[in-house]
Amino acid sequence: MPVPGSTRNQQIQADMTYRALELLNLPPEEPAFLLDIGCGSGLSGEILDEEGYVWAGVDIAPSMLEVALEREIEGDLFLQDIGQGFGFRPGSFDGAISRMLLNPLSISVLQWLLNAETSHATSSPPHRLNRFFTTLHSALRNPSRAVFQFYPSSDDQIQMITSAAQKAGFGGGIVVDYPNSKKAKKVFLCLFVGGGSQQQVPKALDGEEEDSKVKFERRRERERSRTKNGKRKDVKDRDWILKKKEVTTRLYRKRGKDDVPRDSKYTGRKRRAVF
């Protein structure tokens, strides 16, 4: 099943994912375990796969996670209401990203948190933001970053979101790409965990939007590896799985874990989860 939305929308979402990865500023050629918040149908996850990262995705929509499974993405998927906070172990992730989904709702993860589910005090936007940022801060390693793409409707929204993030222990700030363009303007919240003075708010992009795409020429090659219906060609052969195991082993050792889990026997058996 193809990703919902037009090819143009898919390209825009892919561009935002690459930009989010750039803002994460991860060490090159090093393994990393990333969290995709609001992963949807797995478009961002496919890019994370192709960039060599191990990842997990969370989303509140079972139907979108089903589409992600049909696309045969490689990340672990979790059905979760992020307004209730995360339950991951402290320091689980090397970074987190969240891009805005271009669907009929056109709402970002951060703006969705501003919607009260019920009239109960614990469902109010401040409580939801506090649970979200507090548990996310705990789930990220020190140092690391989290990058969110969103379209704030007012300065009050920005103030409420950034204040909740700072209260949870994050540093960072707002990055506005192409601020003078109505069409290309994009807003990112770039948050830091630890790092001290070495963590600086990234520089925003300016000038012509097309100039920034020079950095992402590798995307053309990736597009050639896809079939007409948007699914990737079958790359799950023995060599691919052995390479994936090697990356995971390096990730364990990078974190100082000498006791790497025992390797499993090779298998290509498909498993279908039910949400």
Side-chain angles (χ1 to χ4, degrees), residues 1 3 22 25 63 73 81 93 98 102 119 128 136 152 162 167 175 198 202 207 220 229-230 251 260:
M1 179 182 296
V3 177
E22 183 180 11
N25 194 32
S63 59
I73 53 89
D81 177 2
F93 299 98
S98 178
L102 299 179
S119 59
R128 286 161 60 81
L136 176 61
T162 55
K167 183 178 179 181
V175 177
Q198 295 181 356
R220 294 183 179 180
N229 66 355
L251 185 60
V260 179

Side-chain angles (χ1 to χ4, degrees), residues 100-204:
M100 188 167 179
L101 294 176
L102 299 179
N103 53 34
L105 296 178
S106 293
I107 187 170
S108 69
V109 164
L110 295 180
Q111 289 160 295
W112 182 79
L113 288 168
L114 297 177
N115 295 324
E117 295 178 311
T118 67
S119 59
H120 196 277
T122 58
S123 293
S124 66
H127 279 82
R128 286 161 60 81
L129 286 168
N130 180 64
R131 286 193 296 265
F132 172 75
F133 283 122
T134 300
T135 55
L136 176 61
H137 188 279
S138 174
L140 292 171
R141 296 187 69 203
N142 184 354
S144 63
R145 294 185 181 186
V147 175
F148 301 84
Q149 193 268 329
F150 72 121
Y151 289 115
S153 61
S154 66
D155 291 340
D156 290 339
Q157 275 196 356
I158 296 178
Q159 180 62 35
M160 181 181 293
I161 291 170
T162 55
S163 295
Q166 292 171 356
K167 183 178 179 181
F170 283 104
I174 298 294
V175 177
V176 183
D177 288 347
Y178 314 112
N180 299 319
S181 172
K182 293 183 178 180
K183 181 179 180 181
K185 181 179 178 180
K186 295 179 179 64
V187 182
F188 295 88
L189 175 63
C190 189
L191 300 178
F192 307 147
V193 176
S197 59
Q198 295 181 356
Q199 294 268 37
Q200 300 291 331
V201 176
K203 184 178 179 181

Side-chain angles (χ1 to χ4, degrees), residues 16-248:
M16 291 190 291
T17 302
Y18 281 108
R19 176 57 174 155
L21 285 175
E22 183 180 11
L23 293 172
L24 278 185
N25 194 32
L26 295 166
E29 304 302 326
E30 288 191 16
F33 187 27
L34 304 181
L35 178 63
D36 186 1
I37 306 171
C39 62
S41 60
L43 179 58
S44 292
E46 284 190 343
I47 294 173
L48 297 180
D49 282 336
E50 293 162 352
E51 292 294 323
Y53 298 116
V54 180
W55 65 280
V58 297
D59 204 281
I60 196 173
S63 59
M64 296 299 287
L65 294 177
E66 289 289 350
V67 174
L69 287 174
E70 292 180 11
R71 290 171 60 81
E72 301 179 355
I73 53 89
E74 297 304 321
D76 294 323
L77 302 176
F78 297 88
L79 178 65
Q80 186 169 4
D81 177 2
I82 59 172
Q84 301 301 318
F86 298 106
F88 299 113
R89 293 179 181 178
S92 294
F93 299 98
D94 299 298
I97 64 170
S98 178
R99 58 172 176 76
M100 188 167 179
L101 294 176
L102 299 179
N103 53 34
L105 296 178
S106 293
I107 187 170
S108 69
V109 164
L110 295 180
Q111 289 160 295
W112 182 79
L113 288 168
L114 297 177
N115 295 324
E117 295 178 311
T118 67
S119 59
H120 196 277
T122 58
S123 293
S124 66
H127 279 82
R128 286 161 60 81
L129 286 168
N130 180 64
R131 286 193 296 265
F132 172 75
F133 283 122
T134 300
T135 55
L136 176 61
H137 188 279
S138 174
L140 292 171
R141 296 187 69 203
N142 184 354
S144 63
R145 294 185 181 186
V147 175
F148 301 84
Q149 193 268 329
F150 72 121
Y151 289 115
S153 61
S154 66
D155 291 340
D156 290 339
Q157 275 196 356
I158 296 178
Q159 180 62 35
M160 181 181 293
I161 291 170
T162 55
S163 295
Q166 292 171 356
K167 183 178 179 181
F170 283 104
I174 298 294
V175 177
V176 183
D177 288 347
Y178 314 112
N180 299 319
S181 172
K182 293 183 178 180
K183 181 179 180 181
K185 181 179 178 180
K186 295 179 179 64
V187 182
F188 295 88
L189 175 63
C190 189
L191 300 178
F192 307 147
V193 176
S197 59
Q198 295 181 356
Q199 294 268 37
Q200 300 291 331
V201 176
K203 184 178 179 181
L205 299 179
D206 204 349
E208 296 295 329
E209 183 181 18
E210 290 298 325
D211 293 342
S212 68
K213 296 185 179 181
V214 175
K215 301 178 182 179
F216 307 133
E217 286 296 325
R218 286 177 294 177
R219 272 178 281 177
R220 294 183 179 180
E221 293 299 324
R222 296 191 187 101
E223 290 299 324
R224 293 170 186 167
S225 70
R226 300 175 186 273
T227 59
K228 292 182 179 180
N229 66 355
K231 291 182 64 176
R232 290 176 298 164
K233 292 181 179 179
D234 188 11
V235 294
K236 299 179 185 179
D237 56 12
R238 182 179 180 85
D239 291 339
W240 185 92
I241 292 181
L242 290 176
K243 181 178 179 181
K244 197 77 171 182
K245 289 180 179 179
E246 179 184 355
V247 170
T248 305

